[in-house]
Amino acid sequence: MSDPASQTIPEGTLADLGEFGLIQALIRRLPQGDQVLLGPGDDAALVSAPGGAVVLTTDVLVSGVHFRTDWVTPYDIGRRAAAASLADIAAMGGRTSAIVVALTAPPSLEVAWALRMADGLSDEASEVGASVVGGDIASSTQLAITVTALGDLEGREPVTRSGACAGDVAAVCGRLGWAEAGLAVLSRGFRSPRALVAAYRRPEPPYAAGPAAALAGATAMCDVSDGLLADFGLLASASGVGIDLDSSTLSIGEPLRAVAAAYGSDPLEWVLTGGHDHALAATFPAGTSLPEGFIAVGTVSSGEGVRVDGLLREGSGGHAHF
Amino acid sequence: MSDPASQTIPEGTLADLGEFGLIQALIRRLPQGDQVLLGPGDDAALVSAPGGAVVLTTDVLVSGVHFRTDWVTPYDIGRRAAAASLADIAAMGGRTSAIVVALTAPPSLEVAWALRMADGLSDEASEVGASVVGGDIASSTQLAITVTALGDLEGREPVTRSGACAGDVAAVCGRLGWAEAGLAVLSRGFRSPRALVAAYRRPEPPYAAGPAAALAGATAMCDVSDGLLADFGLLASASGVGIDLDSSTLSIGEPLRAVAAAYGSDPLEWVLTGGHDHALAATFPAGTSLPEGFIAVGTVSSGEGVRVDGLLREGSGGHAHF
């Protein structure tokens, strides 16, 4: 497998290169890890599954809904598309070993766009040692990317959403609200603070914290894709418990404060309801020494719903499709 | 898990029911097999992988490209979408254990359409004992369905496209040309012969023949999704061999002859170039007792390309995206 950076990117559109030419160009750019026993190019890929069970998740990103091609580079769109699925595997306590991708795109799409998007997918996957092992391409009026991730639990039990118990500590790892604030910045036509815009364009989920949380005995976990309130709400509902958050423990980054002040917004709302940072939210038995990066933000009660400083919060704040 | 047939299908559109309501309605309709250790509803599903390695493939079907909603029922579209991926797993010699699905659809889509499509996915998966273990849904202007299948090889080596050797027997299992002829019928505004239209609407890939071919020692195999010439051509290229087909051995069903006569078409062309029946094409060492359903249709040579009755055939005849 040669270095993508050393390869010429063909000029022209998907219509110019054709389906099979595009597939060949893509395959040449995708390095394959040791866990890949058979990579792209056959009817299916073969991936090692040493743990005896695998975790599987799929996420679709649609142009104009999940991303705008004028706000995010194709490379970062690839990284975001992969991150959404990789974070789901981490949230089960697993490590992603392989992803497959389906791209639907108009024939007028530039080949360079597709190849750079694939580079982003591949590089994000490589953050956890995973490879892009296959895919499919079809013409469509609307650009969309579906990433399916396969992960290994290394023999551990999965950490589901339904295991939280009254008395547990609620904790989070990773940034909250940054992507949402970055989107607010872009929506107003600005490009700075760059840290927020970058957080929106290329989230940095704390992948290693997923297996670490599982090893530390996490009782329940999920990734924060729709916002902390929404995702802790689903976790609380699945576990039949309530969660009481203490807002004073929630880290509000300096760029969030600055932008919120400029826009007259409440930065805590971004932290509570902003999605797409793909932080991890988990619960641990009281007294657990939390894994690196996790911060205690509340407690699990025998009630229901999510309370912030004692007040019950309704609604998700996440993106509602349909 | 209750019987889908006994459940009320909510009236209205996806916009009426909302994303989470739709997901809940879908989950209630999806039975889960024993190999599913954790089904839909968490960040990822957990599926048993006893063989130590898994096969993985993804296929996307786009409305207006791969299907027309006025020609095929949502239930059959679900069956076709699943069949495309299940056939790929069979073509590696594997059995599908689980599928995940991403649906992009306009908010105006009827809820009943989505649920019946999911029923089709689930029923097709159950043909091989597989379950629909998860998915994602997003709004989009164009309806598309991405199915990713996870399969088990039961400890066997995969049957790739690259193992055919000169002297091998080339064989096929399953119908050829029926779906293409059915499409020709529908394209002319007719609905009969019903056998051909049914073959287009709901292919019946010979799933069990995949593992059977692997057990019988198949040297190479692929599913026929783009046409026999195209797919044997890819197999020949991957193996560095040629394939000589004897057209007299290719079964031309009676309905194909009848429709071809009526339309002034050559039925052999449908058999050679028609895709979407998802037959299996394989090569076996000379003298192999072919598994049930396989018919010898030619021989593998040290040359290149695919010849029919001695004449080299160029081009795929399959659907070229872009």
Side-chain angles (χ1 to χ4, degrees), chain A residues 10-296:
Chain A
E11 291 189 10
T13 66
L14 301 195
D16 298 329
L17 187 60
E19 179 185 1
F20 293 104
L22 177 61
I23 290 171
Q24 289 308 312
L26 285 167
I27 289 176
R28 281 195 296 273
R29 301 179 77 83
L30 298 172
Q32 301 294 312
D34 291 342
Q35 77 285 9
V36 183
L37 307 176
L38 180 72
D42 218 295
D43 291 282
L46 183 66
V47 183
S48 179
V54 292
V55 274
L56 191 66
T57 186
T58 195
D59 281 276
V60 56
L61 269 65
V62 179
S63 179
V65 178
H66 299 91
F67 61 85
R68 281 179 50 163
T69 54
D70 53 341
W71 283 357
V72 186
T73 66
Y75 179 80
D76 280 344
I77 289 169
R79 292 199 73 131
R80 287 183 82 212
S85 291
L86 296 178
D88 282 330
I89 298 296
M92 303 302 289
R95 294 182 197 277
T96 302
S97 49
I99 65 174
V100 289
V101 57
L103 171 69
T104 58
S108 60
L109 188 76
E110 294 288 326
V111 169
W113 197 99
L115 297 188
R116 290 298 292 155
M117 190 280 289
D119 291 346
L121 282 175
S122 183
D123 285 354
E124 189 70 17
S126 75
E127 296 270 339
V128 295
S131 309
V132 183
V133 299
D136 192 20
I137 300 167
S139 61
S140 166
T141 52
Q142 191 167 18
L143 187 62
I145 305 161
T146 302
V147 174
T148 304
L150 175 78
D152 187 48
L153 295 178
E154 298 163 327
R156 294 184 299 271
E157 290 293 309
V159 183
T160 67
R161 297 180 180 184
S162 59
C165 300
D168 283 354
V169 173
V172 296
C173 179
R175 297 188 298 211
L176 291 170
W178 286 54
E180 194 72 21
L183 178 60
V185 167
L186 286 165
S187 300
R188 285 169 171 78
F190 296 107
R191 293 287 182 273
S192 68
R194 292 177 65 172
L196 297 182
V197 172
Y200 170 74
R201 288 175 169 159
R202 191 192 299 183
E204 296 182 1
Y207 299 122
L215 285 167
T219 51
M221 185 157 51
C222 61
D223 97 302
V224 183
S225 50
D226 286 324
L228 189 66
L229 290 180
D231 288 304
F232 257 144
L234 290 172
L235 187 151
S237 173
S239 295
V241 298
I243 294 179
D244 293 291
L245 299 177
D246 173 357
S247 71
S248 71
T249 63
L250 290 167
S251 165
I252 301 178
E254 184 48 41
L256 263 69
R257 294 186 190 277
V259 166
Y263 295 170
S265 304
D266 178 356
L268 181 62
E269 283 306 300
W270 282 331
V271 169
L272 290 172
T273 65
H276 306 297
D277 289 300
H278 299 296
L280 292 176
T283 57
F284 297 88
T288 301
S289 175
L290 297 182
E292 186 182 340
F294 275 95
I295 296 169

Side-chain angles (χ1 to χ4, degrees), chain A residues 47 49 52 54 140-142 161, chain B residues 42 47 49 52 54 140-142 161:
Chain A
V47 183
V54 292
S140 166
T141 52
Q142 191 167 18
R161 297 180 180 184
Chain B
D42 218 296
V47 183
V54 291
S140 165
T141 52
Q142 191 167 17
R161 296 180 180 183

